[in-house]
Amino acid sequence: MNVKTCCWLSISYLALSPSALATNVPLRVPHIADAPPFMLTDEQQIPVGGILFDIYQQLARALNRPMQIEAIPRKRVTDLLLQGQLDFYCNGTPEWFTEPQLRWSPPLFVHRDLYISAEAFTDFTDFSRRSKGKVGTTFGYVYPTLSAMFARGQLQRVDSYSPAESLRHLQKKHLTAVVVSEFEYGYLLKNKHGLHAVEIERNQIQCMYSPMLAESTVLQLDQAIETLRQQGQLEQILAQYR
């Protein structure tokens, strides 16, 4: 988890005409640094694409609302949602964010965590028995399926501030393995020669809503997500970044 101090950056992405924007309150979502391909930025660190960026744009269009993206540290997302300073964030599960006040959307997509190493494992059972060494992980992330192996010293956790940093350490052979999502693995690591992946966990990703978000907006977002899923638009977005 990236815990670097970060200033606020507010950017409005126009989903409407200028005249319509004047009478509509923006939907406020977070931009978290070091998170490609979920959010991609230009040289000025302004979001220009990515899985979440594209999903937010589709939801803004569906609700006929402008979108405002706030640059914040990841560790502040929950607090800002609970305080009503953000409206929603579409990259979580109730298992990761346990605050009871948060509300949840229908599922968006499946998130698969992969263990990437030079060792080939037939399945998770084989991996659990034979895996060992230094594993690149992301600061602040919890890995339930690996906790017992970390506890008994079979695996040694080595935290970085981002999956991209962990993958760079793997390429330099400073690590035995890394744990990243399938999207990060596919997008960030172009040369996969000699590497193998085994799935260690999967989760249904949802949007987490601020408890202060209007009920009518929650219902509209839920309906928009269901429509995007039924029309295959969510899968089209994901396919661009695999």
Side-chain angles (χ1 to χ4, degrees):
M1 179 182 295
N2 191 333
V3 295
K4 294 183 291 185
T5 301
C6 181
C7 59
W8 284 88
L9 173 65
S10 297
I11 309 161
S12 293
Y13 290 94
L14 306 186
L16 307 174
S17 67
S19 60
L21 285 174
T23 59
N24 284 273
V25 177
L27 295 167
R28 299 163 300 168
V29 296
H31 154 46
I32 298 167
D34 295 331
F38 295 98
M39 194 70 77
L40 307 179
T41 59
D42 62 15
E43 293 179 355
Q44 287 73 44
Q45 299 305 303
I46 296 174
V48 294
I51 293 171
L52 295 183
F53 181 92
D54 293 351
I55 289 173
Y56 292 151
Q57 290 296 295
Q58 291 288 348
L59 294 177
R61 293 189 182 98
L63 270 65
N64 207 30
R65 296 266 296 272
M67 183 67 66
Q68 182 173 300
I69 299 184
E70 312 274 5
I72 66 169
R74 190 190 306 271
K75 67 177 182 178
R76 295 205 63 203
V77 169
T78 301
D79 288 342
L80 294 174
L81 284 168
L82 295 177
Q83 295 165 13
Q85 296 182 45
L86 290 173
D87 293 319
F88 60 96
Y89 173 52
C90 293
N91 193 13
T93 74
E95 290 75 26
W96 298 349
F97 299 90
T98 57
E99 289 76 5
Q101 303 98 312
L102 293 172
R103 293 182 292 177
W104 294 91
S105 77
L108 285 165
F109 57 88
V110 173
H111 178 285
R112 299 170 63 237
D113 274 332
L114 306 177
Y115 182 94
I116 310 299
S117 72
E119 186 91 29
F121 301 102
T122 56
D123 53 26
F124 184 79
T125 300
D126 181 40
F127 156 78
S128 300
R129 180 173 54 85
R130 294 196 296 115
S131 61
K132 60 183 179 179
K134 294 181 178 180
V135 182
T137 50
T138 302
F139 183 76
Y141 280 26
V142 177
Y143 304 93
T145 57
L146 302 183
S147 57
M149 286 179 273
F150 290 141
R152 62 176 174 261
Q154 179 180 348
L155 296 177
Q156 179 183 346
R157 179 170 179 156
V158 181
D159 280 342
S160 295
Y161 281 116
S162 70
E165 185 179 348
S166 289
L167 286 167
R168 287 193 293 271
H169 289 314
L170 179 66
Q171 289 179 303
K172 294 177 181 178
K173 302 188 184 303
H174 296 163
L175 299 169
T176 306
V178 297
V179 178
V180 294
S181 77
E182 64 174 312
F183 301 107
E184 292 155 344
Y185 179 53
Y187 186 84
L188 295 172
L189 197 61
K190 302 307 180 185
N191 181 11
K192 300 177 178 60
H193 179 72
L195 294 176
H196 302 275
V198 60
E199 180 182 315
I200 63 169
E201 188 175 354
R202 64 170 55 197
N203 293 278
Q204 286 280 0
I205 295 301
Q206 300 165 253
C207 296
M208 40 201 285
Y209 298 138
S210 167
M212 299 184 185
L213 191 60
E215 188 65 30
S216 59
T217 302
V218 170
L219 293 174
Q220 287 178 310
L221 286 168
D222 283 353
Q223 181 57 57
I225 289 168
E226 292 287 9
T227 299
L228 291 175
R229 289 186 64 195
Q230 292 170 6
Q231 295 178 348
Q233 294 182 53
L234 287 176
E235 183 53 42
Q236 290 175 19
I237 290 172
L238 298 175
Q240 298 178 58
Y241 301 100
R242 282 199 169 99

